[in-house]
Amino acid sequence: MTWWSRFWRRNKLERDLGRELEFHIAERMSALKTSGLNEEEARRQVRREFGGIEQVKEECRDARGIKWLEDLIQDLIYGLRMMRREPGFTAVALLVIGLGIGANTAIFSADHAVLFRTLPYHNYEELVEVFQKYLPRPSINRMPAAPANYFDWQADTKAFQSFAAWQDTNFNLGGGDNPERIRAAEVSANLFDVLGVEPMLGRAFQSGENSPGRDSAVILSYGLWQRRFAGNRNILGNTIAADGRKYTVIGVMPKRFRFPIGWLSSDVEIWKPLALDNSQRFSRSEITLEVVARLRADMTVARAEKSLNIIAGRLAHTYPETNKDWGVHLMPLADRGTSDFRGMFILLSIAVSLVLLVACANIANLLLARGTERQKELTVRSALGAQKSRLVRQSITEGVLLSFCGGLLGIEIAYLAIRSLKLLAPMELPDLQQAALNGPVIMVSVGLSVLSGFLFSVLPAVTLSRRSLHGNLQETGRSTTGTIRIARMKASLVIGEVALTLALLLCAGDILNTFFSYMRVDPGFDPKNVLTMRISLSKHKYGNAQQWTAFFNRVVVEVGAIPGVTAAAAGTNAPMAGGGAILRFHVAGASAIADINEHSIAQYCRITPDYFRVTGISLRRGRGLQVSDKEGRARVAVVNETFARQQFGDRDPIGKRIILDGDVNASAAAKAAGPPLEIVGVVRDTKEYGLFESTPQMIYVPLAQDPESAAFILFKTTLDPSGVLAEARSRVAKLDPDQPVYSIRTLKQIVLEESAFFRFNTVLLTGFAALALVLSVIGLYGVIAYTVTQRWREFGIRLALGSPRHEILLLVLRQGIWLTAVGISLGLVLTWPATRLLARTLKESMRLTLTSTGPKLFPALCAAIVLTMMLACIVPARRATKADPMQALRCE
Amino acid sequence: MPEVSPKSDLPQGTLDLLILKIVAVQPVHGYAIAQRLQQISGEVVQVPGGSLYPALHRLENRGFVKSDWKETETGRDAKFYRLTNKGRAHLEAQAASWRRLAEAVGLILGPAEEGAR
């Protein structure tokens, strides 16, 4: 009979045991009576021989081997009864545990979604991204590859199984009343092979399709297929039109598939073959390709990088003009988008674990308090023969049961918390949307609750059982060593709580301070009531630059004419929204600078004249750009203050000339020295890359003089811009019905999104600190209340001896202050390493410097803690004053 | 004859061995086993119920014996134990090693006793 069936049939087994032993005794009795003994003597004899029947039964039960299970069930039932009997205590405990476990579960699910996610590729740990690294400045190590280099790298078969390349692009899917701009990728034919994923429908690309003219096959993503083609299973072979070309659908990718993984908000939804013409294929200076490769099974990233750098070195030797300064850098594909945030998430996880510790300390305190009340019961049980280990086991089982139930509540709380997290989530963390109460998360949650249960019940269980064996069944329960030990333990727990809380609060204060000081930074432009949207003209429909300029000019005029719009403009950039190119340049008269640094590169923006008016960027010197600065006229530029200061110091930049040297991404050989531009004005600095980033040098030129096919349209309105949006879209549609308008955001939204990650962390950290404070208050309340109960008689005696009531109050409060003070001192010690850690993480994750609140905030926080603690003490203190002297004396 | 209380003198393994041997002969109930042990050993081995029944139950858990409720000659119901195949194998193995041990001990003790004479 297996132990399982023995368990289920234990009642029957119990009865059998009884019968068996009775039979034995009866037989023996008969035998003895036959040999002459009477009933009485026979029975005594049998009992002596046999031993105590209950003890024999107990031994047989032990032998059955399921005692542990029976004990466990007994303990659980007992625990549940106890929980029901003290609803107040149970409610507080469940709430405290629920909050602690809930917070931890929510954070873990975020960790799981962002840090531990698995990529939808075969053996994704073998996949790496291959970048070109600019050797003179090794921090520039994520540059795309030049095609000829990419093909040469494939010779390294020792470290790599295969290579594939891709480029970001876009499709303007036209037609009907819903032209849509889809993010797309041009990929080498073997990309899906390298990733190890097959299309759900149809086929992947073939190698022949990578040449121009034969590249009209496309593969759709699952999402696009559902959204725009209604999941039509007959999609294969259908034609779709985009950018004036026709493409044939040859496949659909599976549901979970995404490539490339990254932190941009939208996913690629169409893949088409990469078709390089001959001039592109052999170029070593146009760095345009993103490269992904699969390592050989036993290769490490470091060794593979070294191996590939050997080839890069050979190329540098063979083609010095283009490759001299370039090496390679490998990054595991799995790191994409997360390595920056790892530090911050780890910090948040630590913080939330501390909150859980505080919660456990609280529960331990509460258990100790409750335990002393149940002292008598434990003493009786141990007098009846219960072993200490049994009592301890029972206490722990009760604790784990409590914790488990609290954990269930915690999962509910976590569900709500996760929903809030997703709402708060910054754009850089699209994976956060995947956070959910899935299998691993729930397992961790349950594990945490059980573990916490152990943690907070071990100490009280051992302490209380030790005390109970001293055996004090008397009513008085006078102070024994045990009480003092317990009181000291409770005190230490509370001190620990206060210390942790102080550390968390100070960190939260620091990060809040940093956050607000950054938020107060002037962005340099006025985001109020400005709407931005992007238009990207397909080069097939709009063949030459003049058409681009004409189109954008017309859009600006049309949108500007809408009632409610005060100004409209177009530009390759929008403030803080990126766009445009980064160019090298030099001042006319000086030589071109070979090095890439803040002095030799500038953000290049092409704008229509009203751009500064729309964005509220004020003019400092000279003039802005005008309509007369058009094609064919003298080339002009406007620069920002940083540019003027860094290039010309105190001298007047107006009238000076600068020469553009080409895209910073192009290698040195591809110098395309442009015509000289005359500086006609200086505008205010803007925080172009973000409130926390430094201001780059900026060059603004008229869009008419250097046209571009894709641009932002920006317009300022008197009232809320969203009211005008529909009208704006329809006017654009009137100009070209096939032209989608996308990426519609107000400048305010852009600014908010920019700081979303920072805000996210700040809110979380502050929330944890607040939670810890609440828990500490509960903890202190518990301790003081317990002390008051213990010293009840003492207070009564004091009152009987004539002590005024307010002195009793002070007595109790003093204890509270003492505990808080010690806790704060300990907390100070903890705070210093904590803030160091916070500062370092902030710097790594967000390149921010922590502006510490320092001595300013500290007294305020201490006062706040002391005040809240005192509030916690008031109720028990007042109760103390109500001690009845007569009752106290009577109890002796 | 002094009672040898197996609780202190007979190690548990030995008690198991003796019980299995008795059960091997024919199905018996617990009381009969106690009697038989006493009889055969000439009153040397007397097993109190507190040792016998736990041992029996442990043997049953390990699958060496199986029990059934049957009627005795006196008309009462008793729990009869019989040996299983597994039990038989265990019994033979344990008996063999016990005999080897006893032989070895005897060899060591035997000549020494004669020498002391």
Side-chain angles (χ1 to χ4, degrees):
Chain A
M1 223 193 271
T2 66
W3 68 265
W4 185 239
S5 45
R6 262 180 271 140
F7 176 72
W8 281 120
R9 321 238 309 259
R10 67 188 185 285
N11 286 336
K12 177 169 180 299
L13 288 176
E14 195 64 25
R15 282 198 303 272
D16 280 357
L17 179 61
R19 280 164 62 195
E20 188 176 8
L21 297 183
E22 275 164 25
F23 172 79
H24 182 112
I25 290 176
E27 289 290 304
R28 186 72 184 131
M29 290 256 294
S30 320
L32 286 176
K33 280 203 277 201
T34 338
S35 68
L37 291 156
N38 65 24
E39 181 86 20
E40 197 57 39
E41 289 165 343
R43 186 161 308 152
R44 247 184 289 140
Q45 169 92 339
V46 166
R47 201 166 299 152
R48 219 181 327 132
E49 284 172 356
F50 196 72
I53 194 171
E54 271 310 317
Q55 267 156 328
V56 177
K57 277 196 186 175
E58 191 68 24
E59 295 243 351
C60 289
R61 280 187 211 117
D62 268 346
R64 226 182 281 155
I66 55 170
K67 189 163 198 299
W68 63 270
L69 190 57
E70 291 175 332
D71 283 347
L72 184 65
I73 293 182
Q74 199 178 30
D75 288 343
L76 285 174
I77 294 177
Y78 187 75
L80 279 172
R81 253 208 334 257
M82 281 294 120
M83 277 169 72
R84 277 230 330 259
R85 239 191 27 196
E86 296 167 327
F89 170 85
T90 310
V92 170
L94 286 183
L95 186 64
V96 169
I97 299 173
L99 284 174
I101 299 280
N104 273 276
T105 307
I107 293 300
F108 182 74
S109 80
D111 281 348
H112 185 257
V114 176
L115 299 180
F116 303 153
R117 66 195 173 154
T118 56
L119 300 182
Y121 317 126
H122 176 65
N123 281 355
Y124 65 87
E125 315 84 39
E126 291 173 353
L127 294 172
V128 291
E129 290 190 88
V130 184
F131 301 103
Q132 288 193 189
K133 180 164 76 173
Y134 186 59
L135 294 171
R137 299 255 287 186
S139 58
I140 300 181
N141 60 0
R142 294 215 199 159
M143 303 307 281
N149 292 344
Y150 160 70
F151 287 114
D152 284 333
W153 290 343
Q154 303 195 27
D156 186 354
T157 51
K158 190 178 59 145
F160 299 89
Q161 289 181 37
S162 48
F163 285 78
W166 56 276
Q167 266 178 315
D168 233 348
T169 180
N170 289 287
F171 269 47
N172 285 332
L173 286 186
D177 35 52
N178 192 10
E180 203 181 340
R181 181 183 171 74
I182 313 277
R183 189 170 161 225
E186 297 184 337
V187 305
S188 49
N190 66 344
L191 174 73
F192 299 110
D193 268 340
V194 174
L195 296 177
V197 183
E198 275 183 12
M200 185 183 80
L201 285 183
R203 63 171 180 86
F205 299 123
Q206 291 157 346
S207 47
E209 287 166 326
N210 273 138
S211 26
R214 289 161 61 189
D215 59 336
S216 57
V218 288
I219 297 179
L220 309 179
S221 77
Y222 185 88
L224 182 66
W225 178 54
Q226 290 291 328
R227 191 176 78 240
R228 206 168 159 93
F229 301 98
N232 177 11
R233 291 224 143 230
N234 294 323
I235 190 81
L236 300 180
N238 283 10
T239 330
I240 62 177
D243 298 307
R245 269 185 74 175
K246 294 234 185 303
Y247 296 94
T248 315
V249 178
I250 59 155
V252 177
M253 291 311 284
K255 187 167 180 189
R256 236 198 116 211
F257 181 79
R258 283 155 67 203
F259 186 85
I261 304 266
W263 53 266
L264 291 183
S265 55
S266 60
D267 280 334
V268 162
E269 295 185 287
I270 295 189
W271 295 270
K272 91 173 247 302
L274 180 68
L276 301 171
D277 60 37
N278 278 336
S279 68
Q280 290 167 319
R281 178 175 296 236
F282 295 110
S283 165
R284 284 190 200 277
S285 49
E286 296 292 314
I287 51 177
T288 50
L289 294 184
E290 307 281 349
V291 179
V292 63
R294 184 177 284 278
L295 299 175
R296 290 219 173 268
D298 50 347
M299 262 291 156
T300 63
V301 175
R303 270 166 50 209
E305 184 170 319
K306 270 202 350 226
S307 168
L308 197 56
N309 266 316
I310 295 177
I311 297 200
R314 268 187 236 140
L315 290 174
H317 194 68
T318 322
Y319 306 99
E321 320 88 55
T322 49
N323 287 43
K324 179 172 58 92
D325 290 326
W326 293 95
V328 296
H329 172 68
L330 266 61
M331 185 175 85
L333 191 59
D335 280 356
R336 165 65 76 172
T338 60
S339 45
D340 293 333
F341 313 123
R342 191 163 291 151
M344 205 64 216
F345 269 90
I346 292 179
L347 190 74
L348 287 175
S349 305
I350 292 178
V352 83
S353 316
L354 288 180
V355 170
L356 185 62
L357 270 180
V358 170
C360 285
N362 253 343
I363 304 292
N365 251 338
L366 290 173
L367 280 180
L368 272 176
R370 187 183 71 164
T372 49
E373 282 161 27
R374 286 166 58 185
Q375 210 43 56
K376 227 185 298 170
E377 172 210 329
L378 287 177
T379 315
V380 168
R381 289 182 67 184
S382 82
L384 280 179
Q387 291 173 308
K388 182 167 153 206
S389 66
R390 182 81 181 78
L391 291 176
V392 169
R393 233 186 321 150
Q394 191 224 315
S395 298
I396 294 184
T397 310
E398 271 183 63
V400 173
L401 177 67
L402 191 66
S403 184
F404 184 75
C405 295
L408 290 178
L409 178 65
I411 290 185
E412 292 292 313
I413 295 179
Y415 178 70
L416 293 171
I418 291 176
R419 278 186 41 190
S420 326
L421 271 182
K422 288 198 198 173
L423 286 176
L424 202 62
M427 230 181 62
E428 294 98 315
L429 297 173
D431 286 319
L432 207 55
Q433 304 300 325
Q434 312 282 338
L437 287 172
N438 53 28
V441 170
I442 291 193
M443 262 173 30
V444 165
S445 185
V446 169
L448 259 184
S449 14
V450 170
L451 192 64
S452 323
F454 266 114
L455 206 64
F456 64 63
S457 38
V458 158
L459 205 57
V462 170
T463 315
L464 290 172
S465 61
R466 196 181 302 162
R467 207 191 144 201
S468 75
L469 290 180
H470 283 176
N472 193 348
L473 284 168
Q474 290 172 344
E475 193 74 31
T476 53
R478 238 187 274 238
S479 257
T480 64
T481 335
T483 316
I484 293 182
R485 176 187 284 138
I486 289 181
R488 215 172 277 157
M489 197 166 296
K490 289 168 75 56
S492 336
L493 283 172
V494 169
I495 290 174
E497 282 182 58
V498 174
L500 281 175
T501 305
L502 183 72
L504 273 175
L505 277 175
L506 282 176
C507 286
D510 279 350
I511 203 176
L512 270 173
N513 191 39
T514 313
F515 182 70
F516 284 124
S517 67
Y518 275 110
M519 287 293 104
R520 279 197 298 266
V521 166
D522 185 0
F525 57 92
D526 181 11
K528 207 160 72 155
N529 287 341
V530 177
L531 192 68
T532 68
M533 49 194 199
R534 275 185 74 81
I535 292 181
S536 182
L537 299 173
S538 62
K539 299 209 173 102
H540 292 272
K541 190 163 177 186
Y542 297 84
N544 63 46
Q546 274 146 348
Q547 287 176 309
W548 305 340
T549 315
F551 185 83
F552 284 124
N553 281 339
R554 291 210 331 264
V555 169
V556 168
V557 164
E558 284 289 326
V559 170
I562 300 175
V565 173
T566 52
T572 52
N573 305 39
M576 274 202 206
I582 300 179
L583 297 187
R584 282 193 265 206
F585 69 94
H586 63 275
V587 176
S591 54
I593 308 173
D595 193 18
I596 299 180
N597 57 39
E598 317 81 58
H599 286 259
S600 62
I601 62 174
Q603 179 71 46
Y604 183 59
C605 311
R606 292 167 273 177
I607 56 176
T608 60
D610 272 346
Y611 181 87
F612 295 128
R613 231 179 99 199
V614 172
T615 53
I617 301 175
S618 47
L619 190 65
R620 283 280 188 251
R621 298 167 92 126
R623 65 167 179 86
L625 300 172
Q626 294 157 349
V627 181
S628 51
D629 299 314
K630 55 188 185 189
E631 199 199 342
R633 299 295 198 81
R635 302 294 298 267
V636 293
V638 169
V639 298
N640 70 351
E641 288 171 310
T642 303
F643 186 103
R645 192 180 52 239
Q646 285 185 334
Q647 299 299 320
F648 304 108
D650 291 324
R651 295 166 293 154
D652 188 4
I654 311 284
K656 302 270 195 304
R657 290 179 138 69
I658 54 177
I659 298 176
L660 304 176
D661 288 324
D663 201 294
V664 74
N665 284 346
S667 50
K671 264 199 286 230
L677 310 172
E678 182 186 336
I679 299 178
V680 296
V682 180
V683 291
R684 223 175 128 206
D685 280 342
T686 54
K687 289 281 178 199
E688 195 71 17
Y689 296 151
L691 286 176
F692 324 129
E693 309 280 350
S694 53
T695 309
Q697 301 180 123
M698 296 196 65
I699 301 175
Y700 300 90
V701 301
L703 187 59
Q705 289 186 341
D706 187 2
E708 180 55 75
S709 61
F712 286 90
I713 308 290
L714 307 93
F715 52 95
K716 192 175 181 77
T717 55
T718 44
L719 300 172
D720 184 14
S722 44
V724 164
L725 177 60
E727 178 63 27
R729 290 183 83 148
S730 76
R731 295 216 180 185
V732 172
K734 259 200 332 228
L735 289 177
D736 183 353
D738 277 336
Q739 196 50 55
V741 159
Y742 63 98
S743 210
I744 300 167
R745 296 181 288 173
T746 62
L747 272 192
K748 253 219 176 80
Q749 274 175 319
I750 292 176
V751 174
L752 274 178
E753 273 168 14
E754 222 279 318
S755 56
F757 187 50
F758 194 12
R759 187 175 307 116
F760 180 73
N761 290 320
T762 307
V763 168
L764 283 184
L765 210 54
T766 312
F768 294 155
L771 195 58
L773 181 62
V774 166
L775 292 176
S776 292
V777 165
I778 296 178
L780 186 66
Y781 174 84
V783 171
I784 301 293
Y786 168 75
T787 315
V788 165
T789 315
Q790 284 301 105
R791 296 169 70 183
W792 195 249
R793 238 180 331 108
E794 176 199 334
F795 295 145
I797 292 175
R798 281 176 185 263
L799 286 171
L801 288 178
S803 151
R805 288 194 185 258
H806 68 81
E807 240 184 63
I808 307 284
L809 193 79
L810 283 177
L811 211 65
V812 176
L813 285 182
R814 244 195 13 225
Q815 188 193 16
I817 292 177
W818 158 249
L819 285 177
T820 311
V822 175
I824 287 181
S825 333
L826 189 61
L828 272 185
V829 174
L830 277 182
T831 296
W832 195 78
T835 39
R836 284 302 107 226
L837 180 65
L838 179 65
R840 204 180 66 192
T841 313
L842 226 56
K843 191 144 231 142
E844 282 171 4
S845 282
M846 294 184 291
R847 293 173 305 280
L848 290 173
T849 323
L850 191 72
T851 45
S852 178
T853 55
K856 264 191 301 163
L857 191 60
F858 175 62
L861 269 181
C862 285
I865 293 185
V866 170
L867 217 65
T868 32
M869 292 306 193
M870 287 308 102
L871 280 175
C873 296
I874 288 291
V875 174
R878 283 188 41 148
R879 219 160 59 88
T881 62
K882 303 248 177 50
D884 182 1
M886 287 315 297
Q887 191 189 48
L889 291 172
R890 215 174 289 139
C891 274
E892 276 293 336
Chain B
M1 261 291 189
E3 268 182 34
V4 175
S5 160
K7 234 187 194 153
S8 41
D9 287 352
L10 258 192
Q12 185 174 310
T14 318
L15 178 59
D16 286 355
L17 181 59
L18 296 179
I19 293 177
L20 284 177
K21 182 67 183 170
I22 293 179
V23 176
V25 176
Q26 63 173 52
V28 284
H29 54 66
Y31 181 65
I33 295 179
Q35 276 189 314
R36 197 71 54 83
L37 278 174
Q38 214 170 321
Q39 277 171 5
I40 298 183
S41 70
E43 303 288 323
V44 173
V45 177
Q46 285 181 359
V47 189
S51 317
L52 176 64
Y53 285 97
L56 268 173
H57 285 215
R58 262 190 296 271
L59 287 170
E60 189 174 6
N61 284 349
R62 292 166 70 184
F64 295 150
V65 297
K66 216 159 134 54
S67 63
D68 295 296
W69 282 90
K70 292 210 196 78
E71 220 179 274
T72 61
E73 314 93 41
T74 54
R76 291 207 193 91
D77 274 342
K79 203 175 186 190
F80 280 79
Y81 293 88
R82 58 185 163 77
L83 200 61
T84 61
N85 288 336
K86 199 166 163 197
R88 192 174 304 276
H90 184 79
L91 169 61
E92 280 166 13
Q94 292 297 94
S97 65
W98 171 262
R99 282 196 199 95
R100 274 199 307 274
L101 181 63
E103 211 180 296
V105 171
L107 279 176
I108 298 173
L109 288 180
E113 234 179 285
E114 277 172 315
R117 266 206 221 117

